Amino acid sequence: MAAIENHLIELLPHDDRRRLLDSCEPIQLVLAEVIHEPGVATRHAYFPVDGFISLVARVDEHPGLEVGMVGREGMLGSNLALGVEIAPLRALVQGAGAAWRITAADFQRELARNAPLQRVLARYIQVSMSQLAASAACLRFHQIGPRLARWLLMSQDRAHADSFHVTHEFLAYMLGVRRVGITLAAGGLQRSGLIEYNRGTLKVLDRPGLEATACACYAADEKSYAGLL
């Protein structure tokens, strides 16, 4: 894991970073694995390196809706930094890959003595709150095509690759729309030469074009993160 690191860990001074990593274990995030469910005690915090995780809100009998995404720019388990044992969202691995994992008890012990980690996580939590609020507005007001373009950009950022595996069914689940809506939106992006989609493998062909097509929420999220972290 030396070549690519979690960005929050990278921001820590050397000694604080080393002490945190000494309490962590390297793991592999498995595609489609549910890391935790809402209402269940958080047993571990995760710092993704080249895997990434969807945060899914579940309402009544509905299957769920993605409201956030965590990759190497962030962490899963920030509720522990607030002294809260239970997280409100489902955590589903969207992209397989490496991550650092630390038990809840070890994380809270390290947080108590690691002032730089406290400062970094306070800023990250502020960014996450802003992005969750923006996500709610995006879901309500923006059309499927720009939302899909934003989702693909977010996934590409965290996959560290131009190609990744994703189905229309999964996209419909993540964006909370019918599969036919995803088919039409993805078809439009493909006809415009922005993406290539074949048998579950999606490839980004024109990133600047995809950025121009995405709703303004993508750029706003990037600006928010860069401004604080």
Side-chain angles (χ1 to χ4, degrees):
M1 289 190 183
I4 300 175
E5 187 55 273
N6 177 275
H7 183 57
L8 298 183
I9 293 177
E10 285 180 326
L11 290 173
L12 298 175
H14 179 269
D15 289 346
D16 299 286
R17 181 169 65 246
R18 188 73 265 156
R19 194 169 62 241
L20 173 62
L21 290 176
D22 284 345
S23 296
C24 294
E25 61 174 335
I27 65 159
Q28 288 293 316
L29 297 172
V30 178
L31 183 65
E33 176 186 10
V34 177
I35 295 178
H36 67 66
E37 294 280 11
V40 178
T42 302
R43 297 177 58 193
H44 297 91
Y46 296 80
F47 293 86
V49 175
D50 59 3
F52 53 109
I53 301 161
S54 288
L55 303 178
V56 180
R58 307 190 71 179
V59 180
D60 300 328
E61 75 282 1
H62 301 290
L65 177 69
E66 183 185 77
V67 295
M69 194 183 294
V70 179
R72 71 178 295 263
E73 83 294 337
M75 69 164 296
L76 179 71
S78 57
N79 55 293
L80 294 172
L82 299 174
V84 179
E85 186 180 43
I86 305 298
L89 301 171
R90 186 183 215 202
L92 172 70
V93 176
Q94 180 184 308
W100 293 106
R101 184 174 72 179
I102 181 172
T103 67
D106 285 344
F107 173 74
Q108 289 172 325
R109 276 194 292 269
E110 181 57 34
L111 185 66
R113 65 180 180 176
N114 192 329
L117 180 61
Q118 293 171 21
R119 290 192 291 269
V120 166
L121 292 185
R123 288 176 174 268
Y124 176 66
I125 290 169
Q126 173 62 33
V127 170
S128 298
M129 290 171 61
S130 298
Q131 292 179 346
L132 285 170
S135 179
C138 181
L139 293 170
R140 172 63 179 85
F141 294 111
H142 291 156
Q143 296 181 344
I144 298 175
R147 285 176 55 206
L148 175 60
R150 175 197 179 210
W151 189 93
L152 294 174
L153 289 167
M154 291 171 64
S155 296
Q156 185 188 26
D157 290 343
R158 291 158 178 82
H160 310 292
D162 292 335
S163 298
F164 43 92
H165 182 79
V166 64
T167 66
H168 282 195
E169 288 82 2
F170 185 77
L171 287 171
Y173 170 50
M174 289 292 100
L175 296 182
V177 298
R178 296 172 59 198
R179 186 183 183 280
V180 64
I182 294 296
T183 299
L184 292 172
L189 296 179
Q190 185 159 258
R191 287 191 297 274
S192 298
L194 304 180
I195 66 170
E196 180 180 85
Y197 186 82
N198 184 38
R199 297 187 179 184
T201 298
L202 188 146
K203 183 176 183 179
V204 175
L205 301 176
D206 181 357
R207 178 166 178 111
L210 202 60
E211 289 177 350
T213 301
C215 61
C217 299
Y218 176 75
D221 283 351
E222 294 290 288
K223 183 177 180 180
S224 172
Y225 188 91
L228 285 173
L229 291 164

